[in-house]
């Protein structure tokens, strides 16, 4: 989940 | 979210709107590299695969949808609707010279070896060089329409603002992504020559002309 959360940039 | 990233995203959005406006108003895609637009569509397609699996925020999802859809519309306009005005003779950069090395590098250098992560890494590397066909085309034609130079200035500024965003996130959130930062710096450096010409010429009301 952290990985997905980290990818919060466009 | 921080002000640098927000202004960066707005600058990116502005660039895409400026390009669509230019093509729609002049009914022409003269001076625009279709190859760069194909690469941008590929960048969004491979980066936003998590659009339906990882919900970050309404803003994030909306922007992803906007970028994917406008990049496809742009390619459509260039290669179908306004195809007659597409300057294929000057848009000759070999895409395989970019996609193949970038693809190989994404396989070798990434945060973890999973399909989604490799595609994201490919997208990040590809975006850093996606403007090369456009810059190459401008060096061949030796000039660019004023609206096209505004498009490029907004497009180049977006990733420069993202660099400020990464500095901000490093100091205030401890966030750091080496792959995104290195690629973002390469991407921004590629615009430096154009930024110089834009600021010394276009902002003084002159036409952008490159030393051919």
């Amino acid at each position: 989940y952290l990985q997905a959360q980290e990818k919060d940039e466009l | 979210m921080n002000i640098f990233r927000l202004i960066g995203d707005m600058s990116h959005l502005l660039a895409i709107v400026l390009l669509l406006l230019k093509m729609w108003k002049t009914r022409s895609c003269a001076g625009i590299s279709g190859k760069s637009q194909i690469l941008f569509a590929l960048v969004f397609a491979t980066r936003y695969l998590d659009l339906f699996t990882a919900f970050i925020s309404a803003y994030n999802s909306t922007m992803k949808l906007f970028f994917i859809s406008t990049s496809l519309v742009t390619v459509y306009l260039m290669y179908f609707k306004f195809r007659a005005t597409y300057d294929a003779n000057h848009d000759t950069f070999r895409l395989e010279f970019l996609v193949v090395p970038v693809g190989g590098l994404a396989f070798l250098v990434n945060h973890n070896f999973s399909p989604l992560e490799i595609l994201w890494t490919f997208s990040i590397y590809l975006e850093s060089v996606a403007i090369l066909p456009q810059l190459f085309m401008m060096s061949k034609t030796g000039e660019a329409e004023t609206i096209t130079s505004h498009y490029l200035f907004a497009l180049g500024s977006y990733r420069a603002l993202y660099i400020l965003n990464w500095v901000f996130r490093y100091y205030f959130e401890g966030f750091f992504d080496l792959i995104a930062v290195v690629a973002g710096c390469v991407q921004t450096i590629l615009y430096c020559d154009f930024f110089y010409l834009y600021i010394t010429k276009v902002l003084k009301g002159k036409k952008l002309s490159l030393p051919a």
Side-chain angles (χ1 to χ4, degrees), chain B residues 167-175:
Chain B
V167 171
F168 181 92
R169 293 191 73 181
Y170 179 71
Y171 283 112
F172 291 94
E173 300 169 24
F175 171 89

Side-chain angles (χ1 to χ4, degrees), chain B residues 94-175:
Chain B
R94 301 286 301 278
L95 290 190
E96 52 273 38
F97 289 173
L98 293 176
V99 175
V100 174
V102 159
L105 188 63
F107 246 82
L108 295 172
V109 181
N110 51 60
H111 290 313
N112 69 40
F113 200 76
S114 71
L116 216 54
E117 188 66 25
I118 288 178
L119 284 170
W120 177 84
T121 309
F122 169 77
S123 162
I124 290 287
Y125 293 155
L126 186 63
E127 189 190 5
S128 63
V129 294
I131 200 61
L132 282 175
Q134 178 67 56
L135 298 176
F136 180 74
M137 180 177 189
M138 283 164 56
S139 69
K140 286 186 77 173
T141 56
E143 63 174 15
E145 288 176 26
T146 302
I147 182 80
T148 305
S149 56
H150 294 321
Y151 156 70
L152 281 168
F153 183 73
L155 193 60
S157 305
Y158 125 74
R159 214 62 179 171
L161 287 158
Y162 256 69
I163 293 172
L164 298 179
N165 151 64
W166 289 320
V167 171
F168 181 92
R169 293 191 73 181
Y170 179 71
Y171 283 112
F172 291 94
E173 300 169 24
F175 171 89

Side-chain angles (χ1 to χ4, degrees), chain A residues 3-10, chain B residues 5 48 60 117 120 165-166 169:
Chain A
Q3 189 65 20
Q5 184 55 33
E6 246 179 33
K7 295 270 185 299
D8 64 344
E9 294 185 346
L10 290 175
Chain B
R5 182 143 57 105
Y48 299 154
N60 189 273
E117 188 66 25
W120 177 84
N165 151 64
W166 289 320
R169 293 191 73 181

Side-chain angles (χ1 to χ4, degrees), chain B:
Chain B
M1 175 56 82
N2 59 66
I3 186 67
F4 301 111
R5 182 143 57 105
L6 187 62
I7 299 176
D9 289 340
M10 292 305 109
S11 183
H12 196 183
L13 190 121
L14 175 66
I16 290 171
V17 167
L18 279 175
L19 180 60
L20 286 173
L21 264 181
K22 172 253 182 313
M23 293 192 331
W24 197 251
K25 276 195 180 304
T26 63
R27 315 288 293 166
S28 155
C29 55
I32 303 296
S33 163
K35 299 195 171 189
S36 277
Q37 298 311 317
I38 289 172
L39 292 179
F40 287 129
L42 190 57
V43 164
F44 295 132
T46 53
R47 186 174 306 181
Y48 299 154
L49 295 170
D50 64 349
L51 178 62
F52 302 109
T53 56
F55 179 79
I56 307 280
S57 69
Y59 171 81
N60 189 273
S61 301
T62 312
M63 292 296 273
K64 284 176 177 176
L65 276 171
F66 178 83
F67 287 148
I68 290 174
S69 51
T70 49
S71 63
L72 294 175
V73 164
T74 301
V75 170
Y76 164 74
L77 290 178
M78 290 208 69
Y79 286 96
F80 296 91
K81 195 159 179 62
F82 301 137
R83 178 176 192 83
T85 64
Y86 170 52
D87 182 4
N89 299 321
H90 289 114
D91 192 14
T92 55
F93 200 100
R94 301 286 301 278
L95 290 190
E96 52 273 38
F97 289 173
L98 293 176
V99 175
V100 174
V102 159
L105 188 63
F107 246 82
L108 295 172
V109 181
N110 51 60
H111 290 313
N112 69 40
F113 200 76
S114 71
L116 216 54
E117 188 66 25
I118 288 178
L119 284 170
W120 177 84
T121 309
F122 169 77
S123 162
I124 290 287
Y125 293 155
L126 186 63
E127 189 190 5
S128 63
V129 294
I131 200 61
L132 282 175
Q134 178 67 56
L135 298 176
F136 180 74
M137 180 177 189
M138 283 164 56
S139 69
K140 286 186 77 173
T141 56
E143 63 174 15
E145 288 176 26
T146 302
I147 182 80
T148 305
S149 56
H150 294 321
Y151 156 70
L152 281 168
F153 183 73
L155 193 60
S157 305
Y158 125 74
R159 214 62 179 171
L161 287 158
Y162 256 69
I163 293 172
L164 298 179
N165 151 64
W166 289 320
V167 171
F168 181 92
R169 293 191 73 181
Y170 179 71
Y171 283 112
F172 291 94
E173 300 169 24
F175 171 89
F176 182 69
D177 182 336
L178 184 64
I179 285 177
V181 169
V182 171
C185 290
V186 167
Q187 182 170 338
T188 304
I189 287 168
L190 290 177
Y191 281 86
C192 283
D193 175 38
F194 166 77
F195 280 148
Y196 172 75
L197 290 169
Y198 182 83
I199 290 166
T200 56
K201 289 199 174 162
V202 177
L203 293 191
K204 290 200 171 70
K206 295 181 197 144
K207 191 169 173 56
L208 187 87
S209 58
L210 283 82

